[in-house]
Amino acid sequence: MKIIAFYLPQFHSFPENDAWWGKGFTEWTNTRKTVPQYKGHYEPREPLHDNYYNLLNNDVFRWQIDLAHKYGVYGFCFYHYWFGENHKLMQQPLENFLKDKTLDQKFCISWANETWSRRWNGSDKDVLIEQDYGSKETWQRHFEYLLPFFKDSRYINVDGKPLFILYKPEIFPEYRNMFKMWDRLAKENGLSGLTFAIQGAEWNTSEGGTSQSGDYRIMYEPGYTGTQKRISKGLRFGATSLYFKLKSKLNRRSNVQFRSYDAYCKNIIRRRVHSKNIFPGLFVNWDNTPRRGSEGSSFIGSSPKKFETYLSQLIQKARNQYNSEYIFVNAWNEWAEGCYLEPDKKFGYGYLEAIRNALRQNDEFPD
């Protein structure tokens, strides 16, 4: 069983973020400045030993890879930001990773193909940089940029081909044509083609996401569970009564939207498997109040022990029902969304230990 963790590269400063959010802005900025929004709210979340790292330092990668190997995380799924005509953001850490072949970690790439706005502070209409898919010539330049990654010996192959993930196909009408083009270009460049997967929860739970969208779909959690129309109303807060109970108990004046970690995870485990070619997923936690303040959402009830229990059950389900050797976990280091495996001051290495324990319980821990 191969655990792949989504990986955010925004832990270094770059000119665009300096201009948009203030000089020196990184993911740590929102993480460090947040305050508790309700009674018992674990904020700010602090990395163990105050390890507010900079991803431009390859020693950080070395530390992360050592942790991944020790605790059984097979690979990282790096987010990739390409806005057309060779305009990239947050590319330097991954480019550094590619150059340093001593960084022995399996990886794949997910193109986070969204327009950037100030939605972190609620200003969705204030566009910072717009996603421009361009022409076929633009698609080809994009492919040529990614080709060295696809050819790297560390890149994750599924069905004998490099795995490329698209986040939101619903905002890219011609994505199927690009997939066909890229598959042809991959074969022309010595590969067997590409394997494509769709990550976006809304697309994967819609009718459009069930036919010829890609080779695989990823149950990207908690979005996948929260987006399913038939159950989203009942699970939005775990249950409506749970929401009001929590709101009354924790902070009546807060606008934070409370959700139940147990309710979501139990649904993930109970879910019927209706189709093939799905990579199941699980999430560590979710809390985006560092970005959205009192207008954010926060899961209640997560812990390393619960994560271990649900992951152990999902490993069995992945093996016996999904026939999948991959599970995608959200996330390795989404600190400003309360969703990270990395050690912190409250739980230490608890979530990483949970992965190792769950794998061992299922005789799946790698040698």
Side-chain angles (χ1 to χ4, degrees), residues 111 113-115 119 131 133 166-176 179 197-209 213 220 223 227:
W111 180 18
N113 61 313
E114 291 182 297
T115 290
R119 62 181 178 179
Q131 183 68 63
Y133 298 103
L166 179 65
Y167 184 48
K168 284 193 172 183
E170 64 267 28
I171 57 177
F172 181 14
E174 295 188 79
Y175 81 94
R176 289 189 181 90
F179 280 3
I198 301 301
Q199 179 180 343
E202 291 187 12
W203 184 258
N204 280 334
T205 53
S206 70
E207 290 300 320
S213 299
Y220 177 55
T227 306

Side-chain angles (χ1 to χ4, degrees), residues 181-212:
M181 179 181 179
W182 281 22
D183 190 62
R184 173 178 57 80
L185 289 172
K187 293 174 181 175
E188 291 175 358
N189 283 273
L191 298 170
S192 298
L194 294 177
T195 295
F196 299 100
I198 301 301
Q199 179 180 343
E202 291 187 12
W203 184 258
N204 280 334
T205 53
S206 70
E207 290 300 320
T210 61
S211 60
Q212 299 181 351

Side-chain angles (χ1 to χ4, degrees), residues 151-328:
K151 285 191 167 185
D152 192 272
S153 62
R154 298 164 293 178
Y155 201 90
I156 294 170
N157 283 250
V158 174
D159 301 331
K161 299 175 287 186
L163 174 66
F164 178 77
I165 298 167
L166 179 65
Y167 184 48
K168 284 193 172 183
E170 64 267 28
I171 57 177
F172 181 14
E174 295 188 79
Y175 81 94
R176 289 189 181 90
N177 291 330
M178 191 196 78
F179 280 3
K180 291 178 182 178
M181 179 181 179
W182 281 22
D183 190 62
R184 173 178 57 80
L185 289 172
K187 293 174 181 175
E188 291 175 358
N189 283 273
L191 298 170
S192 298
L194 294 177
T195 295
F196 299 100
I198 301 301
Q199 179 180 343
E202 291 187 12
W203 184 258
N204 280 334
T205 53
S206 70
E207 290 300 320
T210 61
S211 60
Q212 299 181 351
S213 299
D215 299 299
Y216 291 89
R217 291 185 287 148
I218 297 171
M219 289 182 171
Y220 177 55
E221 299 292 358
Y224 187 93
T225 294
T227 306
Q228 294 180 87
K229 293 180 180 178
R230 65 182 180 278
I231 55 100
S232 61
K233 184 177 180 180
L235 281 182
R236 188 174 182 186
F237 308 108
T240 302
S241 60
L242 174 63
Y243 165 65
F244 287 110
K245 181 179 178 181
L246 289 170
K247 194 172 181 65
S248 176
K249 179 180 179 180
L250 300 175
N251 188 343
R252 296 183 183 184
R253 295 170 294 178
S254 175
N255 291 322
V256 172
Q257 302 294 294
F258 301 118
R259 292 168 169 82
S260 166
Y261 183 76
D262 288 300
Y264 269 63
C265 289
K266 286 177 181 177
N267 181 269
I268 291 168
I269 302 304
R270 289 195 303 257
R271 182 178 297 137
R272 293 183 180 180
V273 180
H274 294 290
S275 57
K276 299 178 180 178
N277 298 340
I278 291 177
F279 296 139
L282 194 62
F283 67 112
V284 178
N285 189 19
W286 176 267
D287 188 322
N288 67 352
T289 57
R291 292 180 174 177
R292 299 297 296 268
S294 62
E295 302 300 321
S297 61
S298 180
F299 275 81
I300 305 297
S302 65
S303 70
K305 185 59 180 177
K306 288 182 180 179
F307 176 68
E308 176 185 323
T309 298
Y310 294 125
L311 179 59
S312 181
Q313 293 172 0
L314 187 60
I315 289 170
Q316 297 174 37
K317 191 178 183 74
R319 185 170 53 200
N320 300 326
Q321 297 183 38
Y322 290 103
N323 296 316
S324 172
E325 62 178 331
Y326 297 97
I327 291 176
F328 280 80

